[in-house]
Amino acid sequence: MADTARDPPPEQTDFQELEDGEDLFPEPAAAPESGPASLPAEDVSTNSNGPKQDSLFDDDPEDLFAEATEEVSLDSPERDVLLSDGPSPAITPITPPTSVITPRIGHAHDDMFTHSSFDEIEEEEGGDSFDIHIAVSDPEKVGDGMNAYMAYKVTTKTSLSVFKQGEFSVKRRFSDFLGLHSKLASKYLHVGYIVPPAPEKSIVGMTKVKVGKEDQSSNEFVEKRRSALERYLMRTVKHPVLLKDPDVLQFLESSELPRAVSTQALSSAGLLRMVNKAADAVNKMTIKMNESDAWFEEKQQQFENLDIQLRKLHASVESLVCHRKELSVNTALFAKSAAMLGNSEDHTALSRALSQLAEVEEKIDQLHQDQANADFYLFSELLGDYVRLITAVKGVFDHRMKTWQKWQDSQMLLQKKREAEAKLQFTNKPDKLQQAKDEIKELEGKVQQGERDFEQISKTIRKEVSRFEKERVKDFKSVIIKYLESLVQTQQQLIKYWEAFLPEAKAIS
Amino acid sequence: MMGYLSVSLQPRAVNVDLQTDATLQVDISDALSERDKVKFTVHTKSTLPNFKQSEFSVVRQHEEFIWLHDSFVENEDYAGYIIPPAPPRPDFDASREKLQKLGEGEGSMTKEEFTKMKQELEAEYLAIFKKTVAMHEVFLCRVAAHPVLRKDLNFHVFLEYNQDLSVRGKNKKEKLEDFFKNVVKSADGVLVAGVKDVDDFFEHEKTFLLEYHNRVKDASAKSDRMIRSHKNAADDINRIASFFLKVSELFEKTRVSTLLRWLCFVLFHLIPAQVKVEQLLMTDVSSHLLQKIEARVAADEDLKLADLLKYYLRESQAAKDLLYRRGRALVDYENANKALDKARAKNRDVLQAETSQQLCCHKFEKISESAKQELIDFKTRRVAAFRKNLVELAELELKHAKGNLQLLQSCLSVLKGDT
């Protein structure tokens, strides 16, 4: 595993290695999961099923690899194909080991020099299917009055080796989740990892619960929050790097957790966050990045568009939920009215049929309600999650810009220092000259680091984005399937009701 | 925009079960919608000797239908019959307004959005148009089916006279007069209704009709609200499906896009009978699933019920009017009796009182006789119409639900089968 043990080397070296024709990789193997030399695969949770699955999940550029499972040798034509598909000229992909040219290929080629730790993680999990399931349940109100809070039970079921037990649960409150997120964000966002955003705070919602109103809307609020927290945790652990993060592990496993105070909305930390956000926004406007990488430009544009569309879509779905609830209310009213009409009708058979109609309509009203719930919980919440996720993605792109800026700044500083040194050459101040030389050396190191950081974050982002896109497809697909199944149920019920009604209608004479 | 719309009509939507015979058949064979009026082509086929030809057509406008209806109502001879309710005025204002707004906003939306909205609005316009034609036709058919009304001279003129009847709509003064007449009538109606009827049949009918009418009114209003909610939800689904389509276009050729197009397709199809998707390509998932979208057809199920209720709202009002007239005649008769007794007691104007009493008696008995039959017929018609509509409603619902179910199940099997 030559590549996996390496630290991220500068690209030049790799290219040379490639040229040398070092045979780093074993023969083409059919079984995708085998092979210790498997290059870090993108998403461990997908089943590798061969080419069929490729065509399912890969984005267009990757379709090229759909047929690649069969036989890939390291002959130049293939390699050229693989190489030329790289979207960025600056980063040339190494031909990955052929055993990995199965489902993950599209992502693998983007994903060259990653953290060594990351590689190890990937290797470990290359073999198992992704086996961790988190459930958030049993919301319980703890305490009274304004200091009350809801405690949720977080149950983890897993077979992964990184956890001490196979099944365990802890009690957490909402601010704990927020605390976890802020820790992860501070560690990973600036290096380019897309950290799933936590559910939003809702002062109004929580106040109702605190005050102790036991009504429909506060129950809905708690349920909404519970479901959101569950999705948040699942998304977080699906990320291979975040899963191994000690904070995440501590969150899931330890029974006591230090209270995260900085997450309070009205705390000084909160205010600081707001100020920082504003500063960031201003900065973003002033940074004019010289985008040399078409991929990034394209992706950024794509995400902008997606953001806009998703927001509109989300608004429409919320409107739909509203209207469906209205429809259910009106159907119930109509049912009652029809029942009254049936009562006053003096033709017995017709009267009976009308009462039946009223019953059918009442049942349909219930169906509408259930459908509205499905609309809401399946779609609306998913869309809301994605809108927030995309904001996180955009944030990651912004961090890349900042990294670039830093690099450019140190480069400019270096330039200045060099000019200053050149001037000093002509004066007779040996110690100043030496000092200048030292500074320059230091700055050169900084520039190199800056460049490396920039490359690093770019690579990470590419990987993250493809992972994100894959996850998105899976997410949407599973939601769409669930939604369709709920629709199927509705139609089946409708058929049942109307079939029962029809003979009554026909019996009117 | 909708300056001109002509529609060729299919068999009429029947809310009444009518037996028409060959001696007199009336229908509306064509209709033309111009700026602010609708011109109906009334087509008659008859073997009756009073008509010059056996088959002929004339063009009539809404006001002429109203004139005909009013002439029935004002005719004392028809006091004992349920006068078929007048067709409601064609009301395209809302639709026209929407079309106008669309025209103004043309610049602000994309071409597809514009075409789609235009199609929807046009289909809505068409649906309203078809409905108003149907209502006018039903009125004429009811008259033609009635054994006495069909012989009415005004009716024959209406059918045959191929010049303009020079009937103008009521002017302000006349409308005001009508309004006051109605107020007086309702007050009187209350008075008359208070008088207990000797005849059990009529007493029962009175109570029944009053309650029935109110409940039909309520059911009609509630069903309208239900339809509006349904339409709102369908509009949302429409918008959502278009967004999915847009988002899917952003990710062309990827699996996401196909998934989303599937969803669009399903959603579009599921909008309850309001949008029909032309072509179904179930096997080839990657091709264009959304083909032409037919102009919106009104939700058949919903409107069936709503139309039925509205129609019987008007009919039950007409039946109530009949009972009112009879009640009025009864009161007059009883008053005439009292007057006669008084005259006899005073031995003054006896002859006059006697004649007047006889007139009232005659009038009352005539009305009672025909009213009984009318009310029985009303019940039969009502039961038959409800039966027909309820059966059709259930069958339509089943058809749609089964179709949707099939579609959903195939979608699901394709989606799931991919994993």
Side-chain angles (χ1 to χ4, degrees), chain A residues 56 60 312 319-320 323 326 330 333 337 340 344-345 473 477 485 487 491 498-499 506 508, chain B residues 208 211-212 215 218-219 225 229 236 253 255-256 270 382 387 397-398 401-402 404 415-416 418:
Chain A
L56 271 163
D60 195 37
K312 281 201 209 154
S319 163
L320 173 64
H323 283 142
E326 202 183 279
N330 284 337
L333 285 176
S337 186
M340 297 279 279
S344 64
E345 174 62 62
V473 171
K477 181 167 178 170
E485 284 176 341
L487 288 177
Q491 299 302 314
W498 287 109
E499 276 183 343
K506 287 194 170 150
I508 305 171
Chain B
F208 164 73
E211 193 184 56
Y212 188 77
R215 296 207 175 156
D218 187 57
R225 272 167 63 176
S229 293
D236 284 331
K253 288 187 267 162
R255 190 62 183 170
V256 185
L270 284 183
R382 186 177 78 238
R387 178 186 193 280
E397 291 273 2
L398 275 173
K402 285 187 178 152
N404 290 339
L415 281 177
K416 281 185 174 162
D418 280 337

Side-chain angles (χ1 to χ4, degrees), chain A residues 303 306 386 468-476, chain B residues 251:
Chain A
F303 279 114
L306 190 58
Y386 268 92
F468 170 78
E469 286 176 345
K470 204 143 157 235
E471 278 301 310
R472 180 179 70 221
V473 171
K474 269 209 302 182
D475 250 348
F476 271 91
Chain B
F251 297 101

Side-chain angles (χ1 to χ4, degrees), chain A residues 67-88:
Chain A
E67 320 317 309
T69 16
E70 303 317 298
E71 44 152 88
V72 181
S73 62
L74 293 177
D75 299 350
S76 355
E78 314 280 357
R79 195 195 300 168
D80 286 341
V81 158
L82 297 173
L83 287 177
S84 58
D85 202 70
S88 141

Side-chain angles (χ1 to χ4, degrees), chain B residues 252-316:
Chain B
E252 256 313 332
K253 288 187 267 162
T254 69
R255 190 62 183 170
V256 185
S257 111
T258 349
L259 270 183
L260 292 178
R261 282 212 237 112
W262 261 112
L263 187 64
C264 282
F265 172 67
V266 168
L267 287 178
F268 269 125
H269 196 88
L270 284 183
I271 300 171
Q274 284 192 312
V275 175
K276 290 215 178 100
V277 181
E278 267 260 81
Q279 273 206 0
L280 245 263
L281 292 170
M282 301 286 259
T283 49
D284 188 2
V285 171
S286 58
S287 63
H288 282 283
L289 300 174
L290 295 178
Q291 302 286 327
K292 272 191 293 170
I293 295 173
E294 232 175 70
R296 221 178 230 244
V297 181
D300 307 334
E301 309 107 358
D302 289 347
L303 289 182
K304 256 201 187 320
L305 206 50
D307 287 348
L308 179 69
L309 291 171
K310 274 206 202 77
Y311 186 78
Y312 276 93
L313 183 60
R314 288 200 300 273
E315 274 262 1
S316 57

Side-chain angles (χ1 to χ4, degrees), chain A residues 139-158:
Chain A
E140 239 183 276
K141 184 159 165 212
V142 175
D144 254 324
M146 285 313 285
N147 287 328
Y149 62 90
M150 296 299 283
Y152 301 90
K153 182 162 141 200
V154 178
T155 313
T156 317
K157 286 203 192 98
T158 176

Side-chain angles (χ1 to χ4, degrees), chain B residues 195-210:
Chain B
V195 173
K196 179 131 179 24
D197 205 314
V198 276
D199 190 328
D200 278 340
F201 174 79
F202 284 106
E203 188 58 30
H204 169 260
E205 284 295 308
K206 205 165 44 169
T207 356
F208 164 73
L209 267 178
L210 192 60

